[in-house]
Amino acid sequence: MLAVMLYYAWKHGWDGGFVIFLLGFYGCVGLFVYFVFLVPLLPLKIKVVALPVSRDYLAAKPLSEEEYESRSKSIRPMGIT
């Protein structure tokens, strides 16, 4: 839709108000039609295959002040690698 609008504006002289009208009015209509009618017909279905944050990380206990200070000088301060 964007390519068609830009081609049409190019053929009609790139009048500033005309280009803004094309992009604003017809662009919104084209995006509405795309997302409402075409996206549901696409065969691509995205599924989450893993949690974004691991359960091990969520189950970790907070560090005490002494443990935190001892890890600050460690090579692996977080202890997860």
Side-chain angles (χ1 to χ4, degrees):
M1 190 68 167
L2 181 63
V4 170
M5 288 185 303
L6 291 176
Y7 177 76
Y8 193 78
W10 174 61
K11 284 297 192 182
H12 287 84
W14 291 105
D15 181 30
F18 185 70
V19 172
I20 290 172
F21 175 76
L22 277 176
L23 293 176
F25 183 72
Y26 291 117
C28 292
V29 172
L31 287 175
F32 175 78
V33 168
Y34 176 75
F35 282 113
V36 171
F37 296 110
L38 294 178
V39 169
L41 299 175
L42 294 176
L44 177 67
K45 300 294 180 197
I46 298 174
K47 291 189 278 185
V48 177
V49 293
L51 292 174
V53 179
S54 72
R55 288 193 172 108
D56 294 337
Y57 180 77
L58 293 174
K61 303 284 186 247
L63 295 175
S64 68
E65 189 66 33
E66 294 82 27
E67 289 174 319
Y68 180 79
E69 289 299 324
S70 70
R71 290 184 182 206
S72 66
K73 297 170 183 64
S74 172
I75 295 173
R76 299 177 336 164
M78 295 298 288
I80 42 179
T81 57

